[in-house]
Amino acid sequence: MKKSLIIVLLAIVCQNAFSNKTFPVKGTFVSPADKHILYAGRISFTNPERPAWNYPGIQIIAAFEGTSLKMMAKPRSGYFMAQIDGAEPFKVAFRGERDSVANLATALPEGRHIVRLMYAIEGYEFYPEFWGFILDKGKSLVDAPALPERKIEFIGNSITCGYGNEGCDKNEHFEYETENHYYSYASITARNLDAQHWVVARSGIGAYRNYGDVKTGSPRSCMPVQYDYTGYALDLDLRQEASFLKEKWDFSRYQPDVVCINLGTNDLSTNNYDLKLLKQGYQKLYKLVREHNPQAKIVFLSGSMLYNQELKEAKQLLDEVTAEAQKAGDKEVYRFDMAPINGDAFLGNDWHPNVYQDEKMAGELTAYLRSLMKWF
């Protein structure tokens, strides 16, 4: 009884300390609302003290003074990749029920330093939140380097998320520990081109039919339905689970120069698809993307997990949708095919691309976008 009472009292003290901006952790607290913090990605700031999201690839960038840095996040937010001053990035985990503080740097030389964080996984089960930084006592944030001017949006499925890309066995199944968007083809391509990249992607999603769903499609959770919202919900009715999931996305916050759409793998899965409905799904998504991004180039990609008949069908439909859009007057719609995975050495979990395949795809797409966008 006495032990239980002590635990409860400690929990109350910590909760009150957090709400009053004083922590059992020594240092100076920096609010997520600090004007020096840069954010990239579909993030909800409905509560500016608790920025929330659930797509991969969300980025948080700041410059700080001092010799150490801690970050705070909601317990069980998942995994981040962190990089300090251009050094090798490393993974940071918030998986436990009480994991809310992580050490990012200690014993740095006195002076100005830069931290870059990227959310490495899909957060649709975790509802992650960023809760701020803790600096050396008396230190503060300073102006961070500006985000790149070039802007890309990636719309996709598990391949874009980085599903299983840190896995070593195609027969092993999904674990969050082996998903890392930082090493996805999308993230690598953006770094190659010195571009921002914002992500709207979820494993299993399709242009009309999600993985394993009925032949008639997934009208409540496919990409054309999800694209208008700040976050992803497994079903429209589940948008009540977190307040930000009800938010319609404000497209004025990010107008990409180019949008890359990599969908179709799940639509064509399990030999249970309708090509007419898939084409309609592509067309519906194209119209949404063009409506919200009137100046962007749009590139339809075929992914690396399609083979044989399904690959042939996907290419044909994407060629048709692209040609019809161009014929209707939109000359800024394009096509690009990434090479299929060729061999076990390039397979991660569940037959998905591993980091080596991601590097190959990024090399192909980087060269294409560099030429298309004149980004030399």
Side-chain angles (χ1 to χ4, degrees), residues 57-167:
I58 297 300
Q59 296 174 65
I60 303 167
I61 302 166
F64 63 97
E65 295 179 328
T67 64
S68 70
L69 179 69
K70 298 178 179 67
M71 71 172 288
M72 304 191 70
K74 188 181 81 172
R76 299 196 75 250
S77 280
Y79 292 98
F80 294 78
M81 290 295 285
Q83 186 180 40
I84 306 293
D85 293 339
E88 190 70 18
F90 56 94
K91 189 175 286 187
V92 179
F94 290 88
R95 289 303 306 270
E97 294 295 335
R98 298 184 182 181
D99 286 345
S100 60
V101 182
N103 260 315
L104 301 186
T106 58
L108 294 171
E110 187 69 51
R112 176 180 178 271
H113 303 281
I114 298 170
V115 58
R116 300 176 187 273
L117 298 168
M118 180 182 290
Y119 192 62
I121 64 172
E122 304 165 70
Y124 62 90
E125 290 185 315
F126 299 129
Y127 306 109
E129 295 177 357
F130 174 58
W131 286 1
F133 292 117
I134 299 174
L135 310 180
D136 290 348
K137 186 175 180 180
K139 299 298 183 179
S140 62
L141 297 185
V142 293
D143 290 340
L147 294 169
E149 293 185 2
R150 299 169 178 175
K151 298 178 181 179
I152 308 172
E153 179 174 79
F154 287 95
I155 301 172
N157 50 36
S158 56
I159 302 172
T160 300
C161 292
Y163 177 115
N165 62 353
E166 290 191 314

Side-chain angles (χ1 to χ4, degrees), residues 5 64 89 100 177 310 322 327 349 356 373-374:
L5 179 59
F64 63 97
S100 60
E177 289 81 357
E310 286 81 8
T322 300
K327 186 176 181 180
N349 293 160
Y356 303 111
M373 306 301 298
K374 306 296 189 291

Side-chain angles (χ1 to χ4, degrees), residues 242-259:
S243 60
F244 80 90
L245 293 180
K246 294 179 285 187
E247 292 179 15
K248 287 293 188 76
W249 176 244
D250 177 3
F251 286 88
S252 68
R253 286 172 55 184
Y254 187 72
Q255 282 290 292
D257 302 305
V258 58
V259 179

